[in-house]
Amino acid sequence: MLKFLVLAVCLQAFPSVTECFLEGFYKREIVIDTGTHIKVCKQAPLEIGIVLDSSSSIHPRDFQTAKAFLEDYLKHFDIGSGQEGVRVSIITYGKGIYPEDGFDLTTYNTLEEVLAAVRRIPHRAGLYTDTGKAIQYMHEVQLAKGVVRPWAEKISVVITDGNSQQWRLTKKAAEEARNDGIIIFAIGVGEGVRDEELLNIAGDQSRVTKVKNYDQLDSIKEILARKTCIEKEKPTTTPPPKTQKCGEINPTDVYFAFSPAELGVEATAWATSFISNTISGKDLDVGFRFGVVSGSCPDDEGFDLDDYSTVEEYRNRLRQYETSKLSLLSERLLGGAYGVERGGRVGAGKVAVIITNGYGLEDEDLSAHVFRLKENGVTVIIADASGEGVDVYGAVVLTGRSSRLQSETLVSLLCPQ
């Protein structure tokens, strides 16, 4: 499920936007077109806490849609650290919370920095929904009394399409946050989320609303903040640009690297399914080229009776079976795999997708090769066939149990909507 914290939502309690502004809690006003000018309204100082669910029940494309909505929404606010500025924090969660993926109120001071940070948030696909822990962290750490500005309102709105497993903890954490002056709005997406769950979070039915799907989140952004309007010239209307596929805009050369000898039969089947799912999608049918670098069979073969004569020679040969092939594959990528003579294109993006089951990732040579690939302009992505979660410094790691889920996440990275 996906939970966000957004601001000033009272559509369900009041049937029209006007009533919402007159009767509900608001911080910003809709931009008004006067005919010759537009009125742009600025908000009072705010501390906004965003809680973003990163659990496995969210489809990768919905996760990207949610982040795009969040970016569009935040553009309505004057993000800044001054007396009247709006400050934003984000905490993501799934199985536990992921502070390393989010940021605090004081981490970024401009809208551009905040939007860039939102784009970098990964989909962790956690196999749990720790909503209560996320609300608790938002309250006790990110919007704590020693952190927030005393004169600024504290806002926290949770958007969810499902229910937390530990609903008692969620209810208790939300109550404690509200008792500390944080106004919480609960937004339900779809039919899966219970009304009781939303009421436990918001504490009042007037701060609960529902939308049918993630696309309808777009309507929330039009509820802005308190009136302090200035007049600006109307922007010139220009026709929308012609729709282009992402590969036409940013052509990319992609190599998949894996060693069948290390993966084994089952994980190799996973790898071929992962690659097939990725390249068969309509999003990547234009502007992308694909290649494969795999293990070399002679390296994995045995040796004849007369190849070696001493114990040390035998031991040296046997050690080759204990050495991960991932480093060797990375060397091949560095050795001209993206060159024109091998089908590479001048000016095209370069991506290396290394498929592993976790074996060999601790190899220091691999980390060094990842660093060298990045120095040569190659984006390195790790696909984990084991689904257990891996960590390679400098690389983007795909998460999720199935090859289909990881391929969908990869497509969303290669071709963001």
Side-chain angles (χ1 to χ4, degrees):
M1 78 186 68
L2 178 61
K3 302 172 185 75
F4 292 54
L5 303 178
V6 289
L7 170 65
V9 181
C10 51
L11 288 177
Q12 182 165 328
F14 305 100
S16 72
V17 172
T18 301
E19 289 179 66
C20 176
F21 284 121
L22 292 176
E23 303 292 337
F25 180 89
Y26 58 89
K27 278 294 174 186
R28 197 169 180 75
E29 190 175 57
I30 293 176
V31 174
I32 302 171
D33 188 340
T34 64
T36 58
H37 294 76
I38 57 172
K39 286 186 176 181
V40 182
C41 305
K42 297 181 179 179
Q43 74 293 307
L46 292 172
E47 311 285 38
I48 305 177
I50 297 173
V51 172
L52 180 60
D53 184 10
S54 194
S55 63
S56 60
S57 62
I58 308 168
H59 191 282
R61 192 170 296 279
D62 281 338
F63 189 78
Q64 297 300 322
T65 299
K67 291 202 300 179
F69 159 75
L70 187 57
E71 287 184 55
D72 199 28
Y73 176 77
L74 291 174
K75 289 176 184 177
H76 290 297
F77 298 95
D78 295 326
I79 307 295
S81 57
Q83 292 276 334
E84 300 300 313
V86 173
R87 302 195 302 178
V88 182
S89 67
I90 291 181
I91 178 63
T92 68
Y93 71 98
K95 189 172 180 59
I97 58 174
Y98 311 118
E100 67 273 16
D101 295 341
F103 51 86
D104 299 329
L105 293 175
T106 57
T107 305
Y108 302 111
N109 296 321
T110 68
L111 175 63
E112 291 73 19
E113 291 175 332
V114 169
L115 297 184
V118 171
R119 296 186 197 106
R120 293 193 298 267
I121 295 175
H123 182 201
R124 294 289 184 179
L127 301 177
Y128 205 72
T129 308
D130 275 320
T131 314
K133 289 182 180 178
I135 294 175
Q136 191 174 50
Y137 184 86
M138 174 274 299
H139 167 215
E140 296 180 355
V141 178
Q142 295 181 316
L143 268 64
K145 287 183 178 179
V147 177
V148 299
R149 297 164 295 178
W151 61 89
E153 294 280 3
K154 296 180 289 185
I155 303 298
S156 172
V157 180
V158 178
I159 296 184
T160 175
D161 67 357
N163 307 291
S164 54
Q165 284 90 346
Q166 294 182 303
W167 66 268
R168 291 183 179 85
L169 174 61
T170 299
K171 181 178 180 180
K172 180 175 181 291
E175 285 178 350
E176 291 177 351
R178 295 195 306 270
N179 290 338
D180 208 15
I182 300 175
I183 301 174
I184 303 181
F185 292 85
I187 311 300
V189 181
E191 301 300 324
V193 59
R194 295 190 298 266
D195 292 341
E196 182 181 5
E197 173 88 357
L198 300 175
L199 187 57
N200 283 342
I201 293 170
D204 191 294
Q205 192 62 41
S206 66
R207 294 194 295 271
V208 172
T209 195
K210 278 190 175 183
V211 293
K212 291 183 179 179
N213 51 54
Y214 286 102
D215 291 333
Q216 289 191 0
L217 289 175
D218 190 61
S219 64
I220 298 173
K221 69 185 181 185
E222 297 303 331
I223 301 179
L224 306 177
R226 192 180 299 275
K227 295 180 181 179
T228 49
C229 298
I230 59 173
E231 285 196 346
K232 290 186 175 182
E233 295 291 333
K234 293 179 69 174
T236 303
T237 302
T238 57
K242 179 183 176 182
T243 301
Q244 288 182 293
K245 291 203 169 185
C246 62
E248 295 178 276
I249 302 170
N250 297 305
T252 305
D253 296 334
V254 182
Y255 267 105
F256 296 92
F258 65 98
S259 171
E262 288 183 0
L263 290 180
V265 174
E266 184 177 351
T268 297
W270 186 99
T272 56
S273 175
F274 166 75
I275 296 172
S276 178
N277 287 336
T278 301
I279 66 177
S280 62
K282 63 180 181 179
D283 291 331
L284 307 185
D285 59 352
V286 175
F288 286 85
R289 289 186 181 178
F290 301 98
V292 170
V293 174
S294 61
S296 175
C297 289
D299 290 340
D300 300 322
E301 291 180 349
F303 47 85
D304 296 330
L305 294 170
D306 57 354
D307 284 347
Y308 308 109
S309 59
T310 69
V311 172
E312 189 60 28
E313 287 176 332
Y314 286 123
R315 285 177 174 172
N316 289 337
R317 182 64 178 88
L318 292 171
R319 287 192 189 101
Q320 295 181 27
Y321 295 110
E322 301 174 359
T323 303
S324 169
K325 300 298 186 295
L326 293 181
S327 293
L328 298 176
L329 298 181
S330 300
E331 286 183 2
R332 292 174 61 181
L333 291 173
L334 286 164
Y338 294 95
V340 175
E341 65 279 3
R342 296 190 181 180
R345 293 165 293 175
V346 176
K350 295 181 286 187
V351 175
V353 183
I354 299 175
I355 305 173
T356 179
N357 58 3
Y359 178 73
L361 293 180
E362 71 283 354
D363 188 344
E364 293 183 0
D365 288 340
L366 177 61
S367 297
H369 290 149
V370 169
F371 181 75
R372 288 177 59 198
L373 284 166
K374 291 186 65 178
E375 280 191 324
N376 283 271
V378 180
T379 298
V380 182
I381 298 173
I382 305 293
D384 177 21
S386 71
E388 297 299 326
V390 298
D391 185 19
V392 179
Y393 182 75
V396 177
V397 178
L398 304 179
T399 58
R401 291 284 180 181
S402 70
S403 60
R404 178 194 58 79
L405 181 60
Q406 290 200 34
S407 69
E408 289 176 348
T409 304
L410 175 59
V411 170
S412 70
L413 292 172
L414 296 174
C415 193
Q417 298 299 310

